[in-house]
Amino acid sequence: MNGAELLIGAARELGLEVCFANPGTTEMPFVNALDTADAGANRGIKGVLGMHENVCTGAADGYARMAGKPALTLLHLGPGFANGLANLHNARRARSPVVNLIGEHASWHLSADAPLHSEIERLTGWAGSWTRRSARAADLGRDLADALGAAISGRGQVVSLIVPHDLQLEPVTTPTPWALHVRGLPAVDAGRVEAAARCLEAARRPAMLLGGQALYGAGLEAAGRLAERTGAVLLGEVSYARMAAGRGLPRVQRLPYFPEMAADLLADFDAVIVAGTKLPVSFFGYHDKPARYLEGRGDIVHLADGEEDAPAALEALLGELPKGSAAAGRDVAAPADPGGEALDPTVIGAVLAAEQPEDAIVVVTAVSSAAPYAQFALEALPHTQLALTGGAIGEGLAMALGAAVAAPDQRVIAFEADGSGAYIMQALWSQARIGAKVTTVICANRRYRILEMEQERAGIEAGSIARDLTSLDRPELDWVGLARAMGVPGEAVLDRSALTLALRRGLAEPGPYLIEARF
Amino acid sequence: MNGAELLIGAARELGLEVCFANPGTTEMPFVNALDTADAGANRGIKGVLGMHENVCTGAADGYARMAGKPALTLLHLGPGFANGLANLHNARRARSPVVNLIGEHASWHLSADAPLHSEIERLTGWAGSWTRRSARAADLGRDLADALGAAISGRGQVVSLIVPHDLQLEPVTTPTPWALHVRGLPAVDAGRVEAAARCLEAARRPAMLLGGQALYGAGLEAAGRLAERTGAVLLGEVSYARMAAGRGLPRVQRLPYFPEMAADLLADFDAVIVAGTKLPVSFFGYHDKPARYLEGRGDIVHLADGEEDAPAALEALLGELPKGSAAAGRDVAAPADPGGEALDPTVIGAVLAAEQPEDAIVVVTAVSSAAPYAQFALEALPHTQLALTGGAIGEGLAMALGAAVAAPDQRVIAFEADGSGAYIMQALWSQARIGAKVTTVICANRRYRILEMEQERAGIEAGSIARDLTSLDRPELDWVGLARAMGVPGEAVLDRSALTLALRRGLAEPGPYLIEARF
């Protein structure tokens, strides 16, 4: 047994099942160890190849959100890891547990400063707070266990283990003993529960702002019962990691992206309980717009932040409120489908919400085109939504890949745009390679529409350079051609009827399918 | 005038001409300033949009190598900058001057820790040694001048200027005065020149190992005259930034990539003068292979490293040697074209070398397929080659874009492979957008061949997972389809005759063209 086999064996014993990989020379012992570990037992670690490292890290994020446990990534030295950073930023914001395995030059070769050498720890420190550089081959199982323990401690985090090539190859006879050490969540703060109960009781127009684990599962269920009992409106954070939505589920209205709209909405309530996330701030700071919407208000209670056990805190809050006091809810209304054949974000959103199957996982990463969908999805069949948590554009197609690996029996829908999808088009190839059940809808408006909106809001008439640097119309990206070239069938649609039929075709495919909705 | 206009105006006055951009909300004042600066004078800064930040940074590297001066990049916060890191790693190794302009949240919004917030300085510190975070709007012209001065000091470096959004927007009435401070190269070390002369005179089989600025222009010319006078064989570093080659130019044999071959070659000489680069080390460290080829030898002289003025040192060395003592050269032989219709790296290399026009810029970033071309190129028409300096795969198509912007009258050829090209396919769209005169040849062997070679060399028979993680055959990437979908015409070829005709067609195109050479 060499060091790499020790580490991969430990990973398998600890229940890791998937490795999203883009290996290089310094990672080949790990690649070979995946085969060795696979040969003996019947439950090896599945390797999924990405043609770009951001595919691997985005997939690991999507996998973690759905599986509730980490995937491994396998990345090549500093530059390979650098390519995967942006989606690790999103994973960090999502509190997704991810274990990055990074190969490094042989220990004795570091000082040679060979071309690919760099200070990897600067990068791992940016992407997460736990990094270790392995020092002995015999420690590699222990190092992996420690990395995994750190990754799943608390709400979850991104961790990185740097393993020099010589340690991977070195024979190991006596492995260092290892154990999984996991730090749990802090106990629910009774004082804040009590304060939240009194705040809700005193309010006439209460709201609860939910984030993190309060947006699905037991957290959302408790929030729904609290809404029924108090009449509180449920609001959701802008950049959510995972949300359950659809008919029969508590209705959550996502906070608007633009700050004055968010601030206006929140000003409407005389009590706001925040659970599962921090107090809301604007996505960007504008000198003439609000930025910290709840700051200075006396009628808010921060029940649980993103690092705390929001579902338990919401359960405790339920217990603190008098039973049976059902309140008239002010439910969030789903809009009516406006009809019409011409495609725009509203029609696309309405059609998608109507066609998506039960239990779908909808990755919502279109930037300017996604808002209407969120409203129509309130009336869709029950499903899960995953969104962009860190604002690093270019994750959707990779996140969908990872979600499909985590939940092979569910249909994954990537609701993406042309501008944001273009950063990560390589993910389509991995989807085709493993036959991932991902149906992609590209909202193709041929521009970075969000930047145009920012210009319009600032009252600036764009000059020719500004128009050039925000448009994607010259040449027009042919998404169907891109998909086909990477093994994913698809079609372009120009109106509602075609979109409806295309969705039905795509959702019936056994593997990936791409629909370019042009408008 | 606002801060952004002050900075862009300074950039223009300082002679910067191009900005490779992928902006976001926090960079829009700079985008607008490009228009403002353009309106007044007739020599604005050209904006080139990339759909991925690594396109922008790779293009900036290619631009700097050909233009000999920096381009600006314009990148969005930490995650956008992160996406461009890998090619900045290559730029750093190439000693390419690059000035990164990174937008940042409004100063007063930083502590809100909004979704896109991160510690940008960790990343800029990884990519280069000079970073500044602007503190006052009035300083922005000065800050840009200081950044440029740092970028072009010495041999050149990657620098980063982080500018908060509020400073970009703030009106400026009295700009802080600025001036360009440039640190020159250290004076030539007379002792080492003298030692090199004595070493060459005592040698029977001398060689000169050239890198950096010794591989083109005055440096290569001086090296060629030294070779004539001393009989020294000219060797080139593996990972060169720029090299002039072809008929009539001094012939340089590139050091082999694999260490035992490089060590064997160097052992053949009884004197090695190293100029323009550091002492050679192996690309990776293998426990049973040499890694520092010249270490411990008494018959070597390190005339000038990569930070020093290698052309001047070579000129000084010429002056130190007795005139007229012409030696019998042991010239590097160009191989004969083996003929045959079937495509492989040898045939592709021979055909490309025969067809490329005079003054072409050939970006050689194919990994396992490029070696034969280097030999045939010795007999090609005089041209320039640009290679991968930092080993961060996925730069070729972007480097070619930047080279085409720097040298619009020259034909650029991107000699790339399918595995490495897949990291940066988005660059094709930018090539089409600006009509860049880039002819791309994709060596499509459907695998990460270099990894298979590493396995073979290590005597390892790959298991099914290892084969899966090193192959690109399922599905087959359709490069012609990818190119067309991004606006670049092209064709696939299966034999020598078709490749020859395709090259003639492509090289006659006014804009980009892609040839997929399948084998």
Side-chain angles (χ1 to χ4, degrees):
Chain A
M1 179 172 64
N2 64 26
E5 290 162 345
L6 169 60
L7 186 150
I8 295 296
R12 202 190 51 185
E13 280 186 52
L14 287 161
L16 298 183
E17 296 181 37
V18 182
C19 177
F20 295 103
N22 186 270
T25 299
T26 47
E27 293 74 37
M28 287 312 290
F30 282 131
V31 170
N32 292 320
L34 288 169
D35 272 309
T36 315
D38 200 33
N42 211 354
R43 49 177 197 93
I45 294 177
K46 180 188 173 78
V48 178
L49 179 61
M51 296 197 304
H52 189 287
E53 292 83 350
N54 223 22
V55 174
C56 301
T57 54
D61 183 17
Y63 177 90
R65 295 196 201 182
M66 290 313 300
K69 69 177 189 179
L72 287 173
T73 71
L74 182 59
L75 305 171
H76 185 41
L77 295 159
F81 185 70
N83 273 339
L85 278 177
N87 282 338
L88 290 176
H89 172 85
N90 290 325
R92 174 172 74 87
R93 291 290 185 190
R95 292 187 176 78
S96 293
V98 175
V99 178
N100 299 302
L101 205 52
I102 307 165
E104 168 65 294
H105 281 297
S107 315
W108 51 266
H109 198 51
L110 288 173
S111 63
D113 192 31
L116 273 164
H117 176 66
S118 72
E119 296 177 55
I120 303 176
E121 279 90 342
R122 278 184 186 265
L123 303 181
T124 57
W126 183 83
S129 47
W130 193 98
T131 295
R132 181 177 298 169
R133 175 180 286 264
S134 291
R136 297 187 334 134
D139 294 345
L140 288 182
R142 198 263 331 257
D143 289 346
L144 189 275
D146 289 353
L148 177 60
I152 63 178
S153 281
R155 277 286 314 290
Q157 64 173 323
V158 173
V159 306
S160 300
L161 184 59
I162 303 166
V163 187
H165 188 239
D166 51 333
L167 302 190
Q168 298 172 38
L169 288 172
E170 193 177 311
V172 176
T173 48
T174 314
T176 308
W178 50 262
L180 191 64
H181 302 284
V182 182
R183 177 177 49 75
L185 290 169
V188 171
D189 184 317
R192 282 185 273 153
V193 173
E194 161 87 29
R198 298 301 86 80
C199 185
L200 283 172
E201 283 171 346
R204 293 178 50 201
R205 300 180 311 282
M208 304 192 62
L209 175 61
L210 309 175
Q213 290 183 301
L215 283 170
Y216 62 95
L220 182 60
E221 197 183 320
R225 281 190 283 149
L226 281 164
E228 281 170 18
R229 201 174 290 177
T230 64
V233 171
L234 300 182
L235 306 174
E237 64 182 338
V238 175
S239 305
Y240 55 95
R242 176 174 175 173
M243 181 164 69
R247 287 175 219 163
L249 285 160
R251 288 191 166 189
V252 177
Q253 178 177 359
R254 192 178 176 194
L255 212 59
Y257 171 85
F258 286 116
E260 68 281 10
M261 295 164 71
D264 277 0
L265 175 64
L266 288 167
D268 218 30
F269 301 101
D270 63 355
V272 183
I273 310 300
V274 179
T277 184
K278 65 180 183 176
L279 298 187
V281 301
S282 64
F283 206 85
F284 292 112
Y286 307 85
H287 72 283
D288 55 353
K289 299 281 191 320
R292 297 171 192 238
Y293 310 138
L294 297 178
E295 199 162 73
R297 280 177 63 164
D299 55 356
I300 67 158
V301 174
H302 198 175
L303 178 64
D305 74 15
E307 300 292 341
E308 295 174 311
D309 190 343
L314 290 166
E315 291 282 358
L317 178 52
L318 259 178
E320 188 71 25
L321 287 169
K323 288 221 172 75
S325 57
R330 299 198 309 163
D331 212 354
V332 181
D337 184 336
E341 273 294 309
L343 290 183
D344 62 23
T346 301
V347 168
I348 296 171
V351 172
L352 177 57
E355 296 295 331
Q356 66 184 64
E358 185 152 6
D359 241 5
I361 299 164
V362 188
V363 176
V364 188
T365 46
V367 176
S368 66
S369 297
Y373 168 75
Q375 298 302 307
F376 292 112
L378 295 170
E379 271 299 315
L381 292 171
H383 65 283
T384 298
Q385 290 177 29
L386 310 180
L388 199 64
T389 49
I393 291 174
E395 182 172 22
L397 304 181
M399 206 195 307
L401 169 71
V405 171
D409 298 330
Q410 290 173 262
R411 174 63 57 173
V412 180
I413 296 167
F415 187 44
E416 183 55 285
D418 51 354
S420 43
Y423 292 84
I424 194 82
M425 52 177 72
Q426 292 91 340
L428 293 169
W429 181 82
S430 294
Q431 290 179 11
R433 188 168 177 84
I434 65 165
K437 238 158 72 177
V438 177
T439 309
T440 295
V441 178
I442 299 282
C443 297
N445 60 7
R446 317 282 182 209
R447 66 199 70 193
Y448 292 125
R449 175 68 187 135
I450 189 71
L451 297 183
E452 287 184 355
M453 290 165 78
E454 295 280 1
Q455 295 272 81
E456 292 159 12
R457 285 166 51 82
I460 291 167
E461 190 169 341
S464 63
I465 296 179
R467 282 197 303 275
D468 186 55
L469 293 182
T470 58
S471 69
L472 297 167
D473 57 345
R474 191 169 37 83
E476 293 206 339
L477 260 188
D478 169 10
W479 273 95
V480 178
L482 283 177
R484 283 203 190 121
M486 291 190 268
V488 174
E491 62 189 293
V493 298
L494 300 168
D495 59 35
R496 170 196 291 261
S497 307
L499 173 61
T500 304
L501 294 174
L503 272 170
R504 289 176 190 169
R505 263 191 293 276
L507 293 167
E509 282 277 326
Y513 197 79
L514 182 140
I515 300 162
E516 179 179 347
R518 295 187 185 160
F519 60 98
Chain B
M1 180 172 61
N2 65 25
E5 289 161 345
L6 169 59
L7 185 149
I8 295 296
R12 203 190 51 183
E13 280 186 51
L14 287 161
L16 298 183
E17 296 182 37
V18 182
C19 177
F20 295 102
N22 186 269
T25 298
T26 46
E27 293 74 37
M28 287 311 289
F30 282 131
V31 170
N32 292 321
L34 287 170
D35 272 309
T36 314
D38 200 34
N42 211 356
R43 48 176 197 98
I45 294 178
K46 179 186 173 78
V48 178
L49 179 61
M51 296 196 304
H52 189 288
E53 292 83 349
N54 223 22
V55 174
C56 301
T57 54
D61 183 17
Y63 177 90
R65 295 195 202 182
M66 289 313 300
K69 67 178 191 177
L72 287 172
T73 71
L74 183 59
L75 305 171
H76 185 42
L77 294 159
F81 185 70
N83 273 339
L85 278 177
N87 281 338
L88 290 175
H89 172 85
N90 290 325
R92 175 172 72 88
R93 291 290 186 188
R95 293 187 175 78
S96 293
V98 175
V99 178
N100 299 301
L101 206 52
I102 307 165
E104 169 63 296
H105 282 296
S107 314
W108 50 266
H109 197 51
L110 287 173
S111 63
D113 193 30
L116 273 164
H117 176 66
S118 72
E119 296 177 57
I120 303 175
E121 279 89 342
R122 277 185 187 266
L123 302 181
T124 57
W126 182 84
S129 47
W130 192 100
T131 295
R132 181 176 296 169
R133 174 178 288 264
S134 291
R136 298 187 334 135
D139 294 344
L140 289 182
R142 199 258 337 251
D143 289 346
L144 189 276
D146 289 354
L148 177 61
I152 62 177
S153 280
R155 277 285 315 289
Q157 63 174 323
V158 172
V159 306
S160 300
L161 184 58
I162 303 166
V163 187
H165 188 239
D166 51 335
L167 303 191
Q168 298 172 39
L169 288 171
E170 195 178 309
V172 176
T173 47
T174 313
T176 307
W178 50 263
L180 191 63
H181 302 284
V182 182
R183 177 176 50 75
L185 291 168
V188 172
D189 183 317
R192 282 185 273 155
V193 172
E194 161 87 29
R198 300 300 85 83
C199 185
L200 283 172
E201 283 170 346
R204 294 178 50 199
R205 299 180 310 280
M208 303 193 62
L209 175 61
L210 309 175
Q213 290 182 302
L215 283 170
Y216 61 95
L220 182 60
E221 198 183 320
R225 280 190 282 149
L226 282 164
E228 281 171 20
R229 201 174 291 177
T230 64
V233 171
L234 300 182
L235 306 173
E237 64 182 339
V238 175
S239 306
Y240 55 94
R242 176 174 176 173
M243 180 164 69
R247 287 175 219 164
L249 285 160
R251 288 189 166 189
V252 177
Q253 177 178 359
R254 193 178 174 194
L255 212 59
Y257 172 84
F258 287 116
E260 69 281 8
M261 296 164 70
D264 277 359
L265 176 64
L266 288 167
D268 218 29
F269 300 101
D270 64 353
V272 183
I273 310 300
V274 179
T277 183
K278 66 179 181 175
L279 298 188
V281 301
S282 64
F283 206 85
F284 293 112
Y286 308 85
H287 72 283
D288 56 352
K289 299 280 193 317
R292 297 171 191 237
Y293 311 137
L294 297 179
E295 200 162 72
R297 282 177 61 164
D299 56 355
I300 67 158
V301 174
H302 199 175
L303 178 65
D305 74 14
E307 300 291 339
E308 295 173 310
D309 191 341
L314 291 166
E315 292 282 358
L317 178 52
L318 259 179
E320 189 69 25
L321 287 169
K323 285 216 173 80
S325 56
R330 297 199 311 166
D331 210 356
V332 181
D337 184 336
E341 274 293 309
L343 290 183
D344 62 23
T346 301
V347 169
I348 297 171
V351 172
L352 177 57
E355 296 295 332
Q356 68 185 60
E358 184 154 5
D359 241 6
I361 299 164
V362 188
V363 176
V364 189
T365 47
V367 177
S368 66
S369 297
Y373 168 74
Q375 297 303 306
F376 292 113
L378 295 170
E379 272 298 316
L381 292 171
H383 65 282
T384 298
Q385 290 177 30
L386 311 179
L388 199 65
T389 48
I393 291 175
E395 182 173 22
L397 305 180
M399 207 195 309
L401 169 72
V405 171
D409 298 330
Q410 289 173 262
R411 173 64 56 172
V412 180
I413 296 168
F415 186 44
E416 183 55 286
D418 51 355
S420 42
Y423 292 84
I424 195 80
M425 52 178 73
Q426 292 91 342
L428 293 169
W429 182 82
S430 295
Q431 290 179 11
R433 188 167 177 86
I434 65 165
K437 237 159 69 180
V438 177
T439 308
T440 296
V441 178
I442 298 283
C443 296
N445 60 6
R446 317 285 182 207
R447 67 200 68 195
Y448 292 125
R449 175 68 188 134
I450 189 71
L451 297 183
E452 287 184 355
M453 290 165 77
E454 294 281 1
Q455 295 272 83
E456 291 159 12
R457 286 165 50 82
I460 291 167
E461 190 169 340
S464 63
I465 296 179
R467 281 197 304 275
D468 186 55
L469 293 181
T470 56
S471 69
L472 297 166
D473 56 346
R474 191 169 36 84
E476 293 206 338
L477 260 186
D478 170 9
W479 272 95
V480 179
L482 283 176
R484 282 204 189 120
M486 290 190 269
V488 174
E491 62 188 295
V493 297
L494 300 169
D495 58 36
R496 171 196 291 260
S497 307
L499 173 61
T500 304
L501 294 173
L503 271 170
R504 290 178 190 167
R505 264 191 293 277
L507 292 167
E509 282 276 327
Y513 197 78
L514 182 139
I515 300 162
E516 178 180 348
R518 295 188 185 158
F519 60 99

